[in-house]
Amino acid sequence: MHQLHRRSGRCATVAERARAVRPALQASHDLKIPSIDHFSYLRTVILRCRSSLYCSRKQGAATMKTPPSRPLPVFLTVVVVLLAAPAVVAAWSKGTATFYGGGDASGTMGGACGYGNLYATGYGTATTALSQSMFGNGASCGQCFQIACDAQTDSRWCRGWGATVTVTATNLCPPNYALPSNNGGWCNPPRVHFDMAEPAWLQIGVYQGGIIPVLYQRVMCSKQGGVRFTITGFNYYELVLISNVGGSGSVASAWVQGTSTNRVPMSRNWGANWQSLAGIAGQALTFGVTTTGGQTIVFQNVVPPNWVFGMSFMSNLQFTY
């Protein structure tokens, strides 16, 4: 794990940013700006407005009847500025994040999903390892997550305000039971933790922080080109890496059929590698793949009959969900 460093810098809180815009608002409206301490009054006014106790309809638009000493336009502006962000954030889930792999992410190559050279396979440096509770024995390989630093929990090591980064799961962050979960054993179950490639992590965190609280959500994966099939192993034991999967990103099931054989179900061997025990060498191959999003695509004759073990084949089809 990375040695943690500390420094005094931190990001501005919501309240601090609101105070910063008060002079500009006051100048533009020529009105008295309420302080942050007036939240209780604001909430009461809005709730009463919603219950129609202080609202009326005039020329098709709702107007609020408030005491003359409390100007309505400024109240609504302050409420929108200060409360909009928490309303969006509430729909996300909480976790933590560290980084690994060096400034060029060269240390993230390979990994428990089996994608190999992440530069060559299109994943680049926007990748992450998942804690054991998230990895699901490889079922989460290829899934995409949008991640933001959780400034409400601790803003000291957040970079910018509202910055997010989207990463693809390509590796496992293994548990370290020799360390407590709150002090080094970041990937111990049941923790939700992302060990991100350093270039991706630095888009939302300050290097000296080492570990930051984050907010995250699953998002659809956007990939260049079609789904890729890489065949290794030997006849009657074919290992097929299914990569560059868009949409939900992860594969739920797969089957293979040769031009001279029947359709054969495949099973997950490890990571994103699926195995077949059929004798399909020397045949053109068709794969059927269903993602965890429920979309199924049949890749008809995506592998020509003259293939050999170790070759990769890019299809012209891609998942959308």
Side-chain angles (χ1 to χ4, degrees), residues 110-179:
C113 289
Y115 293 130
N117 187 325
L118 300 179
Y119 301 146
T121 51
Y123 294 98
T125 62
T127 63
T128 187
L130 301 178
S131 60
Q132 187 176 42
S133 61
M134 301 182 70
F135 189 69
N137 293 323
S140 297
C141 286
Q143 293 180 0
C144 296
F145 299 87
Q146 187 179 31
I147 304 176
C149 186
D150 184 2
Q152 288 186 337
T153 298
D154 186 351
S155 64
R156 291 174 300 168
W157 309 112
C158 293
R159 183 180 297 277
W161 182 258
T164 64
V165 62
T166 299
V167 293
T168 303
T170 60
N171 202 356
L172 166 68
C173 179
N176 183 355
Y177 295 112
L179 297 175

Side-chain angles (χ1 to χ4, degrees), residues 125-235:
T125 62
T127 63
T128 187
L130 301 178
S131 60
Q132 187 176 42
S133 61
M134 301 182 70
F135 189 69
N137 293 323
S140 297
C141 286
Q143 293 180 0
C144 296
F145 299 87
Q146 187 179 31
I147 304 176
C149 186
D150 184 2
Q152 288 186 337
T153 298
D154 186 351
S155 64
R156 291 174 300 168
W157 309 112
C158 293
R159 183 180 297 277
W161 182 258
T164 64
V165 62
T166 299
V167 293
T168 303
T170 60
N171 202 356
L172 166 68
C173 179
N176 183 355
Y177 295 112
L179 297 175
S181 297
N182 61 352
N183 188 19
W186 310 123
C187 294
N188 294 349
R191 286 185 64 102
V192 173
H193 186 81
F194 300 88
D195 197 17
M196 301 167 60
E198 183 176 326
W201 192 92
L202 288 177
Q203 294 185 44
I204 60 172
V206 177
Y207 182 89
Q208 287 80 1
I211 180 171
I212 56 174
V214 297
L215 299 166
Y216 74 94
Q217 61 178 345
R218 277 279 305 277
V219 294
M220 291 294 100
C221 299
S222 178
K223 301 299 181 185
Q224 296 294 319
V227 177
R228 182 185 296 106
F229 300 86
T230 303
I231 309 175
T232 57
F234 48 87
N235 202 25

Side-chain angles (χ1 to χ4, degrees), residues 273-292:
N273 288 276
W274 293 74
Q275 71 177 31
S276 166
L277 302 180
I280 54 177
Q283 305 176 52
L285 303 180
T286 296
F287 291 97
V289 180
T290 300
T291 64
T292 52

